[in-house]
Amino acid sequence: MQFFGGSEISPSPPVPTATGNNAHMMYVFNRNGVCLLYREWNRPLHTLNPQQDHKLMFGLLFSLKSLTAKMDPTKYHFVSLSLHSFQHQFSVAVYNFLLMMRSAEKGNLGIPQLPGQGCSFHSFRTNTYKLSFMETPSGIKFILVTNPRTGDLRETLKYIYNLYVEYVAKNPLYTPGTLIRCELFNTALDQYVRSIA
Amino acid sequence: MAAIYSLYIINKSGGLIFYKDYGSKGRMDTNDSLRVASLWHSMHAISQQLSPTIGCSGIELLEADTFDLHCFQSLTGTKFFVVCEPGTQHMEALLKVVYELYTDYVLKNPFYEMEMPIRCELFDINLTQAVQKDRVALLGR
């Protein structure tokens, strides 16, 4: 495809990582939880009606992001005093102060994180599916559900984000925050997804 | 050497019954570890609802930027999960070993009440040995 600005800006399509089944489904959410796109290619089981399914998916991702930001081992955490013993009150106060400053980065569970703030997960796997997740700096979340043997799909999601930028964001008739109804985007997406699986 | 940051065991209702951190990186406040455990229990259940096919038994592996989380759920609903460095191998085997230790030293302990926090010395001792042993054994494979 020649419409991309330059090969250094957008990644070239990655080599197919999985053989066999196609991807199951895909969701695109904006930062307010509005489902901008839901594509389904192979989904034998529908547990909930579509609205509940979208809400549940967004809620799951929101909570998982909160969980991973909290569990991030590279951020320091305020440790209760009972685990350490100090000789002097002054050193205690300084130690607490330093830890408080660092723990401010970690935040508490449930506090909404800005896109890119805090450690975020990029995929999780169950015995029946693998969910790959990517959040863009503008808060657009791309979710791809595939079979569990799929490899790392971060590059794939980046490519899909580029498709979104080209066909949706640059579409003058598209209003941000509404359902995506761009035929070109849908066909390009279908074609690309067929080629990765 | 691949590092384990922490190990959690949750009972079937989602309450934390065992928590052990390995080093200051995995350390968490008591309250926070309880919250994280219940949150994980709920996330595990919700992930089963979103499966495109039948027979989903919940999240087995969560990959984040700075850590991986491996989870094993026994047939009774008790969940064992470990937070480790990204790319650590053989965590599923380690979780199965921990499950075996749990059945031997906790469940067979006549003074242990079901679903209560684990306070069994033999379990702690053998767990420490198992984690050390697995770290060494895995390097040798």
Side-chain angles (χ1 to χ4, degrees), chain A residues 59-71 108-111, chain B residues 8 10 13-16 28 31-47 59 62 69 71 79 81:
Chain A
L60 175 71
L61 296 171
F62 182 86
S63 309
L64 272 178
K65 268 188 28 140
S66 186
L67 180 83
T68 51
K70 189 68 189 178
M71 291 185 90
N108 292 315
L109 276 178
I111 290 182
Chain B
Y8 297 70
I10 323 180
S13 334
L16 183 70
M28 212 175 271
N31 289 333
D32 283 337
S33 60
L34 287 165
R35 285 188 206 116
V36 156
S38 326
L39 190 57
W40 180 254
H41 174 81
S42 319
M43 298 297 103
H44 198 258
I46 293 174
S47 67
I59 303 178
L62 176 89
L69 193 152
C71 180
K79 285 180 264 301
F81 67 94

Side-chain angles (χ1 to χ4, degrees), chain B residues 13-106:
Chain B
S13 334
L16 183 70
I17 57 174
F18 184 79
Y19 162 68
K20 183 156 170 66
D21 65 78
Y22 295 90
S24 60
K25 282 196 164 184
R27 195 156 296 144
M28 212 175 271
D29 219 2
T30 321
N31 289 333
D32 283 337
S33 60
L34 287 165
R35 285 188 206 116
V36 156
S38 326
L39 190 57
W40 180 254
H41 174 81
S42 319
M43 298 297 103
H44 198 258
I46 293 174
S47 67
Q48 294 179 27
Q49 298 252 324
L50 294 167
S51 171
T53 50
I54 55 171
C56 184
S57 63
I59 303 178
E60 291 176 349
L61 166 63
L62 176 89
E63 290 172 309
D65 302 329
T66 51
F67 68 93
D68 280 356
L69 193 152
H70 295 255
C71 180
F72 168 69
Q73 181 177 26
S74 71
L75 291 167
T76 52
T78 312
K79 285 180 264 301
F80 301 78
F81 67 94
V82 64
V83 178
C84 56
E85 264 179 14
T88 316
Q89 301 291 313
H90 311 296
M91 285 292 109
E92 289 90 33
L94 176 70
L95 287 171
K96 297 257 167 66
V97 167
V98 174
Y99 179 47
E100 220 180 291
L101 293 177
Y102 168 77
T103 56
D104 283 339
Y105 295 106
V106 178

